Amino acid sequence: MSITVETAEQHYNDPAVLCCLRQKGTVISASDLEDPAIFPDLEESGLLKLSEDSLTIGQVLGSTLDQDADAMTPLTPKLVSHFAEKKTEESGKITTSLSAAAASGLNNSVIRFSINELKGQIEIPAGFDPSVLPFTIPSAPKLEPEDQIIRTLTQREFDVQEVRIGAETSFQDKVLTIREGLCTESLKADPLVKDAELDIIPPDQRHVYSNTIMDVIPIATKTEGILGEGTTHVMRGAVVILTGVDELGVQVHEFGSCEGYLDEKIRFGRPGSPDPDDIMIRIHVTVQENTGMERRGPFAAHKACDYIIQEIREALKKAPAEACVKEDVYHDYKKTGKPRVVLVKEIMGQGAMHDNVILPTEPAGVKGGRRNVDLGNVPVVLSPNEVRDGGIHALTCIGPATKEVTRHYFREPLVNLMAEDNEINLVGVIFIGSPQVNDEKSYVSARLGALAEALDVEGAIVTTEGFGNNHIDFAENIEQIGRRGIKVVGASYCAYQGQLVVGNKYMDAMIELNKDKDGFENEILADSTLCPSDAKRALLMLKTKMAGVPIEPANRNWSQDVIDANQQFIQ
Amino acid sequence: MSITVETAEQHYNDPAVLCCLRQKGTVISASDLEDPAIFPDLEESGLLKLSEDSLTIGQVLGSTLDQDADAMTPLTPKLVSHFAEKKTEESGKITTSLSAAAASGLNNSVIRFSINELKGQIEIPAGFDPSVLPFTIPSAPKLEPEDQIIRTLTQREFDVQEVRIGAETSFQDKVLTIREGLCTESLKADPLVKDAELDIIPPDQRHVYSNTIMDVIPIATKTEGILGEGTTHVMRGAVVILTGVDELGVQVHEFGSCEGYLDEKIRFGRPGSPDPDDIMIRIHVTVQENTGMERRGPFAAHKACDYIIQEIREALKKAPAEACVKEDVYHDYKKTGKPRVVLVKEIMGQGAMHDNVILPTEPAGVKGGRRNVDLGNVPVVLSPNEVRDGGIHALTCIGPATKEVTRHYFREPLVNLMAEDNEINLVGVIFIGSPQVNDEKSYVSARLGALAEALDVEGAIVTTEGFGNNHIDFAENIEQIGRRGIKVVGASYCAYQGQLVVGNKYMDAMIELNKDKDGFENEILADSTLCPSDAKRALLMLKTKMAGVPIEPANRNWSQDVIDANQQFIQ
Amino acid sequence: MDCELTPKLLPGKILEVTDLGVKVTLKGRMGIIQVPLRSVITDKSLQVGQEIRVYLSYIQVV
Amino acid sequence: MDCELTPKLLPGKILEVTDLGVKVTLKGRMGIIQVPLRSVITDKSLQVGQEIRVYLSYIQVV
């Protein structure tokens, strides 16, 4: 098996042995050589005999093969020309500085000027550095290494054209049937859940009243592998909405609720919302009186809802692969040589619904995950594929227009954009909670700074859902990153109602997520959340900042004109 | 102000203006040019007038100045020779790939062969890459970037030759006096603390009975800056030991206690232990009956102890800098071009004393920190300086020989060794807790894997204190790192009593920390903890593995001979 | 922590009217305010559902 | 009627803390405000009885 340039560098003083048949005239590169790590085995089995006059890998790189030779042939002075003389003083030393090894390796290449007579002048400017010669290994003409795939996620989408209530939960011929008794059974998910109902809302019958929308949840399930890799089945055309009240009829959250007519209270088509053609499966949960304001109440509602979805997931698992209408393949990459960047998603962490389940077992599920409040809101790294595969289940509830629901994370525009952009290397997505108390905010922000420093990224985008005191951490998170010399862009709803309460000099590149004409939290679900156009603006701004182009100072007050003007750049 | 090569690359198409007086014959490099970012200001103030025929930075790099010229002179074709023609198709494009910009910039340098007549042959081997020319800017002759200092920590050590009880807490002329009433006052640190006593144990009077040693705590305090940077004062020659029982006289932990005679129960001189010449300040705390086995009981003891130490810290803060006997300066570095490695310290996280305070406000303190159990045991990144400045206060209690006490983290041999080694780039120290339940272990291990992947390290050393079910996460932590292609070395006490309960193929490079001749947890404080010699073996093994040298398979059973044999390599 | 408290003019709606005062909910559902009748300025008699406006800032613990 | 609403910085006290929000009473018993936790800025963990301040104006019916 041939070796990489890196392996060749590490085995610079080991014998050079051809890995495969090579023809006369071949200019030897790493890809022609066998891995010295397996020589002991090869020698033991008699496949390889090393002789006294074997050349080292360092000597043969760039040399020319003078005759055809078989695999497992050690290269000797008889077989190759233009090899380098051995530098003995280097042997036996463990070289950890790869660039030094690479440089000395290239020194052994040859430019030959056999000049018999020269009339004229050779002028070489000051600064000529003879230790670096402009040669690349011939068989590896690209200096820039290929992106390496770390893991692959396949998402198969299955169309849902009808949803019914029936005797058995099943999914066949684009018809989803949900078992009638399932809701009652879901009460056992948590004793705080006193009632659960389910109804189906087709796209053309949306003018119905609804209690506050606690979440929008995609129906997806693993059929192979764990979250972030393997295969996931996803339903297209149907989505769950979770609503809730307590036994006294109080909306599960007194503030920031969005009860009202569904057609008026949802901005359809946002990453987190139902799409215009989606069938909504509405699950309405009643929790024990007065627990709506406690952490356990809303969470119980999510558990019951997840119980119901799980049975639907089991049916979805059985859907035959060939019935899928769309197959998306997502990769996590290791990209060498591209600027390392990170996406930081600040999420609510102040208790009750201001909380998120991180990494449930099923995509967008509840079970198996842990809540960021229980992780002390410290930063946690997910791979882009883990996020895209439903790694976050949002419990967040307020305010409607600016909250990021579960579906939002499932289709996060910045994650998708940054992961697929081939000018950058998105190394991961950091989720950091926003605690209540300022000291705690500072504590977790400082850990974000230490993490960003260790990640050695050149750029970062920091987003936050909602507004309020989470803007304090938002500012601090940006500062912790920015003062380490990392270029940083922030994205949040601020506008009029959510104007930033603190600021610092690193907040010079901000993306406004507001979509309300007056700059208010307008109580329309997901209206002012991060959309693909916002993501493009944010990434362009980050690239601009990383390229060293100065960002114009922001206006003192929010103005839609700025957004409109910037939006032009990406159209 | 002159600009850097990077800035020059970013402003490739902006006008070239001299930053300072330059003489005829100067070959123009970035260091001769003014930053285009400030041109608008310069023009507005009349200091700079750009003309139509100004050359761009890209055009003038490598050209020669034909006459003396002042600062703020825009370079034009009249002033310089050998400049490049303008490439217009590049202008206006935001370039995020710096290497591409650098390459095109260097293309405009000139090697001039003015040959009138040539007889002979010029031979250039295959693979010549004309896009890279071997020039460096004269003022920056080194290609390899310097290690860049991120933050600096100065630790000043002050000798303590005597410790007394007295009327006022003070520290003068190497004598530490501790106020008599301080212990009683410390009870208010936590209502669970029912009594606190303090006595002084000089090095020659150690044959005294002691209740179990809960912790060994260095006395250190910040005089400037936050943990990890600025200045810290440390006492040398005196150390606090914390012991505890409950009101019924039960040792604060029923398992793994090490009550007995101090001279017999401590392995003096280990990183975590008192040194042979240390005066021990013993603080003995009695907590409410039956709370010794609960999380709140031992923590209350630590709080009372920290209350007492804080008053000593206040006195230590006032020590004049010139009185210090030793000053250590530690840096956190950003090292470019050296292999990135990480140290993973697995710490106990199973509740009660199996817990650690992360990042207290004072070095090795309690206040201001948060406990890893409250952070859900997920991995948290500290900088090497943060660890060396007392970023971890251990609450861990059992078993005596293998537990890492607070002083251990303060003098962690691997942190010191890896941070100072100039063949590697220690990007950070990750603390990951070991939870009770296997699902939780897997959860936090998976986050460690995702973090290691994002950090893009080539190597890692994973350590764990103690033994027991924490070896399950230990194995899983190593696997999560190893299966991402990262070379990993493990270090733990295993020997006879702590034999590993699970294993995997990535556990092929293990460092045994046992120091007991029979391989037992011998109940001698800190005996089988990680020592400098273990650290050296671990790092050498990591370097060996990273260099691609195969590691011999381990013996089936623990044997001291292996350690002795490996130890020879580092002597 | 030095943080800027900025009152914002917010629209809202009356939820409840008693002989003593009113309870209003703010647009964006980010708060509920109860004040005595004295603190309400109105040209018409108070009724549930009426639109109001009020300046409110974040609350700071001191 | 055209009347100027002027926000005033008012002191108050926390009456109730839940997992979701706080309820505060304003000095002079001139009002009760309930807001979500996110709208509270604090250096210490929230407790009943803590002193707060907030900008509030009169309420105007529009």
Side-chain angles (χ1 to χ4, degrees):
Chain A
M1 211 178 60
S2 70
I3 58 175
T4 62
V5 177
E6 285 74 26
T7 310
E9 282 159 0
Q10 283 155 7
H11 292 283
Y12 200 68
N13 293 306
D14 285 335
V17 173
L18 286 180
C19 63
C20 317
L21 170 74
R22 285 291 182 264
Q23 291 181 323
K24 180 182 171 178
T26 302
V27 178
I28 302 295
S29 71
S31 63
D32 304 306
L33 301 176
E34 187 49 82
D35 188 351
I38 64 166
F39 287 179
D41 291 351
L42 293 173
E43 283 189 286
E44 209 173 296
S45 60
L47 283 169
L48 174 67
K49 281 194 184 64
L50 291 170
S51 61
E52 283 290 322
D53 60 346
S54 293
L55 296 170
T56 65
I57 290 176
Q59 288 179 286
V60 304
L61 287 176
S63 71
T64 310
L65 194 61
D66 285 338
Q67 55 184 83
D68 294 1
D70 276 334
M72 299 305 137
T73 307
L75 294 177
T76 62
K78 280 178 208 163
L79 288 172
V80 294
S81 57
H82 304 335
F83 60 87
E85 285 308 308
K86 196 165 188 172
K87 291 167 82 182
T88 46
E89 71 278 15
E90 285 255 348
S91 68
K93 190 179 150 201
I94 294 171
T95 304
T96 56
S97 169
L98 299 182
S99 58
S104 61
L106 289 164
N107 258 335
N108 295 308
S109 297
V110 172
I111 306 185
R112 197 174 307 266
F113 291 64
S114 303
I115 294 170
N116 301 322
E117 193 181 328
L118 169 67
K119 289 179 186 166
Q121 194 186 359
I122 296 182
E123 203 180 317
I124 295 182
F128 180 80
D129 179 0
S131 75
V132 182
L133 283 173
F135 296 94
T136 54
I137 307 296
S139 63
K142 282 192 194 168
L143 256 185
E144 214 156 304
E146 295 266 327
D147 295 346
Q148 185 190 325
I149 294 173
I150 300 174
R151 68 180 61 78
T152 299
L153 168 66
T154 303
Q155 282 188 344
R156 293 196 192 117
E157 291 187 9
F158 297 85
D159 255 351
V160 180
Q161 287 179 350
E162 197 191 332
V163 182
R164 298 178 193 153
I165 311 295
E168 285 290 334
T169 300
S170 69
F171 179 50
Q172 264 168 346
D173 303 326
K174 306 188 177 178
V175 177
L176 168 64
T177 308
I178 302 172
R179 182 162 61 91
E180 214 178 339
L182 187 53
C183 278
T184 315
E185 210 177 288
S186 77
L187 301 194
K188 70 183 181 194
D190 195 301
L192 291 181
V193 179
K194 300 304 177 191
D195 190 34
E197 300 161 55
L198 184 150
D199 65 347
I200 315 296
I201 300 162
D204 56 351
Q205 293 165 42
R206 287 176 169 172
H207 191 65
V208 290
Y209 182 83
S210 175
N211 290 293
T212 192
I213 299 172
M214 295 173 66
D215 202 6
V216 180
I217 309 159
I219 303 170
T221 190
K222 293 309 295 182
T223 62
E224 188 213 323
I226 57 169
L227 227 63
E229 59 192 77
T231 308
T232 297
H233 284 188
V234 188
M235 284 191 179
R236 189 172 87 168
V239 69
V240 169
I241 64 168
L242 169 64
T243 67
V245 293
D246 80 355
E247 288 176 297
L248 303 175
V250 179
Q251 298 297 323
V252 158
H253 25 83
E254 200 164 38
F255 322 105
S257 56
C258 57
E259 65 273 18
Y261 287 92
L262 286 175
D263 53 347
E264 295 166 4
K265 283 301 192 177
I266 298 175
R267 183 68 68 214
F268 294 95
R270 293 276 187 254
S273 319
D275 287 333
D277 297 330
D278 277 340
I279 301 165
M280 288 188 263
I281 301 166
R282 176 168 61 172
I283 297 175
H284 180 62
V285 174
T286 305
V287 298
Q288 185 177 308
E289 58 180 324
N290 299 323
T291 64
M293 304 284 277
E294 294 175 24
R295 202 169 168 227
R296 58 199 181 122
F299 190 55
H302 280 268
K303 279 157 82 182
C305 178
D306 194 51
Y307 183 96
I308 294 169
I309 296 175
Q310 190 58 39
E311 185 161 310
I312 303 176
R313 287 189 191 113
E314 298 301 331
L316 177 59
K317 276 185 209 292
K318 296 178 201 145
E322 60 275 16
C324 83
V325 289
K326 190 158 169 268
E327 190 171 284
D328 290 314
V329 177
Y330 299 116
H331 299 298
D332 281 336
Y333 292 103
K334 180 187 173 92
K335 297 179 184 176
T336 315
K338 290 176 184 168
R340 294 168 59 78
V341 301
V342 71
L343 173 62
V344 179
K345 299 275 314 164
E346 181 181 324
I347 52 181
M348 289 299 142
Q350 298 168 12
M353 303 81 80
H354 294 87
D355 203 354
N356 296 267
V357 176
I358 300 182
L359 286 165
T361 309
E362 287 277 18
V366 173
K367 267 195 169 165
R370 298 179 71 192
R371 287 178 282 170
N372 57 282
V373 168
D374 293 333
L375 305 181
N377 288 314
V378 289
V380 173
V381 178
L382 272 68
S383 86
N385 265 7
E386 286 180 322
V387 183
R388 293 191 276 197
D389 205 17
I392 303 290
H393 183 106
L395 308 174
T396 300
C397 278
I398 73 171
T402 56
K403 73 185 179 189
E404 290 179 346
V405 296
T406 298
R407 195 183 213 184
H408 181 92
Y409 295 106
F410 197 70
R411 324 198 275 194
E412 225 295 329
L414 259 175
V415 174
N416 288 322
L417 188 70
M418 295 174 82
E420 301 303 329
D421 190 292
N422 55 28
E423 291 186 332
I424 57 169
N425 173 13
L426 178 64
V427 302
V429 184
I430 301 174
F431 286 84
I432 179 170
S434 169
Q436 179 70 38
V437 181
N438 288 338
D439 273 359
E440 290 172 14
K441 290 176 186 293
S442 296
Y443 187 93
V444 299
S445 273
R447 281 318 94 206
L448 176 65
L451 176 54
E453 179 177 310
L455 288 172
D456 197 25
V457 287
E458 286 177 44
I461 297 177
V462 181
T463 79
T464 183
E465 55 172 339
F467 60 97
N469 69 25
N470 57 304
H471 276 156
I472 295 174
D473 348 20
F474 181 58
E476 205 163 345
N477 288 339
I478 290 173
E479 181 172 5
Q480 282 284 352
I481 294 170
R483 69 182 176 80
R484 285 170 162 90
I486 299 164
K487 300 293 185 283
V488 57
V489 168
S492 175
Y493 162 82
C494 302
Y496 176 78
Q497 195 170 1
Q499 196 183 308
L500 292 171
V501 287
V502 289
N504 57 63
K505 66 172 172 172
Y506 304 102
M507 301 175 78
D508 59 351
M510 304 295 289
I511 299 293
E512 170 64 63
L513 302 182
N514 172 68
K515 313 284 184 302
D516 181 65
K517 73 176 171 39
D518 299 318
F520 275 93
E521 157 60 73
N522 59 14
E523 299 172 44
I524 298 173
L525 185 76
D527 197 24
S528 289
T529 53
L530 198 148
C531 294
S533 59
D534 302 316
K536 283 183 197 155
R537 261 161 47 231
L539 183 55
L540 180 64
M541 201 179 263
L542 180 64
K543 287 183 180 180
T544 306
K545 219 175 161 183
M546 285 167 65
V549 181
I551 309 281
E552 281 190 34
N555 294 335
R556 175 107 190 93
N557 290 311
W558 166 76
S559 155
Q560 181 60 36
D561 300 342
V562 176
I563 300 176
D564 294 343
N566 284 337
Q567 196 67 31
Q568 290 175 6
F569 288 119
I570 61 163
Q571 276 155 0
Chain B
M1 210 178 62
S2 71
I3 58 176
T4 63
V5 178
E6 285 73 29
T7 309
E9 282 159 2
Q10 286 154 5
H11 291 282
Y12 199 67
N13 291 306
D14 286 333
V17 174
L18 287 180
C19 63
C20 318
L21 171 73
R22 285 291 182 266
Q23 289 178 324
K24 181 181 168 177
T26 301
V27 178
I28 302 297
S29 71
S31 63
D32 304 306
L33 300 175
E34 186 50 81
D35 189 349
I38 63 166
F39 288 179
D41 291 350
L42 293 173
E43 282 189 286
E44 208 174 298
S45 59
L47 283 169
L48 173 66
K49 279 193 187 64
L50 291 170
S51 60
E52 284 290 322
D53 60 347
S54 294
L55 296 169
T56 66
I57 290 177
Q59 289 178 287
V60 303
L61 287 176
S63 70
T64 311
L65 194 60
D66 285 337
Q67 56 185 82
D68 294 0
D70 274 333
M72 299 304 136
T73 307
L75 294 177
T76 61
K78 282 179 207 162
L79 287 171
V80 295
S81 55
H82 306 334
F83 60 87
E85 284 308 308
K86 196 164 188 173
K87 291 166 81 182
T88 46
E89 70 278 14
E90 286 255 347
S91 67
K93 192 179 148 199
I94 294 169
T95 305
T96 55
S97 168
L98 298 182
S99 57
S104 62
L106 289 165
N107 256 334
N108 295 306
S109 297
V110 174
I111 304 185
R112 196 172 307 265
F113 291 65
S114 303
I115 294 170
N116 301 321
E117 193 181 330
L118 168 68
K119 289 181 187 166
Q121 196 186 357
I122 296 183
E123 203 180 315
I124 294 182
F128 180 79
D129 179 1
S131 75
V132 182
L133 283 173
F135 295 95
T136 53
I137 306 300
S139 61
K142 280 194 192 166
L143 254 186
E144 209 157 311
E146 295 264 327
D147 294 347
Q148 185 190 325
I149 295 172
I150 300 174
R151 67 180 62 77
T152 299
L153 167 67
T154 303
Q155 283 187 346
R156 294 196 192 117
E157 290 188 10
F158 296 85
D159 254 352
V160 180
Q161 288 179 348
E162 198 192 332
V163 183
R164 299 179 192 153
I165 310 293
E168 286 290 334
T169 300
S170 68
F171 179 50
Q172 265 168 343
D173 305 325
K174 306 188 179 179
V175 177
L176 168 63
T177 309
I178 301 171
R179 181 161 62 91
E180 213 179 340
L182 187 53
C183 278
T184 316
E185 211 177 288
S186 77
L187 302 194
K188 70 181 182 197
D190 194 301
L192 291 181
V193 179
K194 299 304 178 192
D195 190 35
E197 300 160 52
L198 183 151
D199 65 346
I200 316 294
I201 301 162
D204 56 352
Q205 293 165 42
R206 286 176 170 172
H207 192 66
V208 290
Y209 181 82
S210 175
N211 290 293
T212 193
I213 299 171
M214 297 173 64
D215 201 7
V216 180
I217 308 158
I219 302 170
T221 190
K222 293 308 295 181
T223 61
E224 187 211 324
I226 57 170
L227 228 63
E229 58 191 77
T231 308
T232 297
H233 284 188
V234 188
M235 284 190 178
R236 189 171 86 169
V239 69
V240 170
I241 64 169
L242 170 65
T243 67
V245 293
D246 80 355
E247 287 176 298
L248 303 175
V250 179
Q251 298 296 324
V252 159
H253 26 82
E254 197 163 41
F255 320 107
S257 57
C258 57
E259 63 275 18
Y261 288 92
L262 285 176
D263 53 348
E264 296 165 4
K265 284 299 190 179
I266 299 175
R267 184 68 68 212
F268 294 95
R270 294 273 187 257
S273 321
D275 286 334
D277 296 331
D278 277 341
I279 301 164
M280 286 187 265
I281 301 167
R282 176 168 60 173
I283 297 175
H284 180 63
V285 174
T286 305
V287 297
Q288 185 178 307
E289 58 179 322
N290 299 322
T291 64
M293 303 289 277
E294 294 174 26
R295 200 169 171 227
R296 58 198 182 124
F299 190 55
H302 280 270
K303 279 157 82 182
C305 178
D306 193 52
Y307 183 96
I308 294 169
I309 296 175
Q310 189 59 39
E311 184 160 312
I312 303 175
R313 288 189 191 112
E314 299 301 331
L316 176 59
K317 277 184 209 292
K318 295 177 200 143
E322 60 275 15
C324 82
V325 290
K326 189 158 170 271
E327 189 171 283
D328 291 314
V329 177
Y330 299 116
H331 299 299
D332 282 335
Y333 292 104
K334 180 188 174 91
K335 297 179 183 176
T336 314
K338 290 176 185 170
R340 293 167 61 78
V341 301
V342 72
L343 173 62
V344 179
K345 300 277 310 167
E346 181 181 321
I347 52 181
M348 289 299 140
Q350 299 168 10
M353 307 78 80
H354 294 89
D355 203 355
N356 295 268
V357 176
I358 300 182
L359 288 165
T361 309
E362 286 278 18
V366 172
K367 266 195 172 165
R370 299 179 69 191
R371 287 179 282 171
N372 57 281
V373 169
D374 293 332
L375 305 181
N377 288 314
V378 289
V380 173
V381 177
L382 272 67
S383 85
N385 266 6
E386 286 180 322
V387 183
R388 294 191 275 197
D389 205 16
I392 303 290
H393 182 107
L395 308 174
T396 300
C397 277
I398 72 172
T402 56
K403 72 185 180 189
E404 291 179 347
V405 296
T406 299
R407 195 184 212 185
H408 180 91
Y409 295 106
F410 197 70
R411 322 199 276 195
E412 226 296 329
L414 261 175
V415 174
N416 288 322
L417 188 68
M418 294 174 82
E420 301 304 330
D421 189 292
N422 54 29
E423 292 186 331
I424 57 169
N425 173 13
L426 178 64
V427 301
V429 184
I430 300 175
F431 286 85
I432 178 170
S434 169
Q436 182 67 40
V437 182
N438 286 341
D439 273 359
E440 288 173 14
K441 290 177 187 295
S442 296
Y443 187 94
V444 299
S445 273
R447 282 317 93 206
L448 177 65
L451 176 55
E453 179 177 311
L455 287 171
D456 196 26
V457 287
E458 287 178 43
I461 297 177
V462 180
T463 80
T464 182
E465 56 174 336
F467 58 97
N469 72 23
N470 58 304
H471 276 158
I472 296 174
D473 347 21
F474 181 57
E476 204 164 346
N477 288 338
I478 289 173
E479 182 173 3
Q480 282 284 351
I481 294 170
R483 70 182 175 80
R484 285 171 163 89
I486 300 163
K487 300 292 186 281
V488 57
V489 168
S492 176
Y493 162 82
C494 303
Y496 176 78
Q497 194 170 0
Q499 200 180 310
L500 291 172
V501 287
V502 288
N504 55 63
K505 66 172 172 172
Y506 304 103
M507 301 176 77
D508 59 350
M510 305 294 291
I511 299 294
E512 170 64 63
L513 303 182
N514 172 68
K515 313 285 185 301
D516 181 64
K517 73 175 171 40
D518 300 317
F520 276 89
E521 157 60 72
N522 59 15
E523 297 172 44
I524 298 172
L525 185 76
D527 197 24
S528 289
T529 53
L530 197 149
C531 294
S533 59
D534 302 316
K536 283 183 197 155
R537 260 162 46 232
L539 182 55
L540 181 64
M541 201 178 264
L542 180 65
K543 286 182 179 180
T544 306
K545 218 175 161 184
M546 285 166 64
V549 181
I551 308 282
E552 280 191 35
N555 293 335
R556 175 110 191 90
N557 290 312
W558 165 77
S559 157
Q560 182 61 36
D561 301 342
V562 176
I563 300 174
D564 294 343
N566 284 337
Q567 197 67 31
Q568 290 174 8
F569 289 116
I570 62 161
Q571 272 152 4
Chain C
M1 170 111 190
D2 209 21
C3 207
E4 208 180 328
L5 285 187
T6 315
K8 291 286 172 188
L9 184 60
L10 303 175
K13 227 177 242 178
I14 296 181
L15 282 182
E16 195 182 296
V17 184
T18 68
D19 291 348
L20 188 66
V22 297
K23 187 194 239 184
V24 303
T25 176
L26 299 177
K27 185 174 166 73
R29 316 259 174 136
M30 288 295 280
I32 290 171
I33 305 177
Q34 282 173 277
V35 290
L37 291 175
R38 262 201 285 153
S39 298
V40 183
I41 295 163
T42 182
D43 289 337
K44 38 203 164 183
S45 70
L46 296 173
Q47 272 168 18
V48 170
Q50 273 171 342
E51 312 248 316
I52 62 98
R53 54 188 196 177
V54 62
Y55 279 99
L56 180 70
S57 71
Y58 295 146
I59 291 176
Q60 186 168 36
V61 176
V62 289
Chain D
M1 194 179 75
D2 208 25
C3 193
E4 208 182 330
L5 288 184
T6 315
K8 295 284 177 195
L9 186 61
L10 304 174
K13 229 178 240 181
I14 295 181
L15 282 183
E16 192 184 299
V17 183
T18 68
D19 289 346
L20 186 66
V22 299
K23 187 192 254 187
V24 303
T25 175
L26 299 176
K27 189 177 166 73
R29 312 258 176 132
M30 287 300 279
I32 288 173
I33 304 177
Q34 279 174 279
V35 290
L37 291 175
R38 264 199 281 154
S39 299
V40 183
I41 293 163
T42 181
D43 288 335
K44 41 207 160 181
S45 67
L46 296 172
Q47 272 166 19
V48 170
Q50 274 169 343
E51 313 246 314
I52 60 98
R53 55 187 195 179
V54 61
Y55 280 101
L56 181 70
S57 70
Y58 295 144
I59 291 176
Q60 185 170 37
V61 177
V62 287

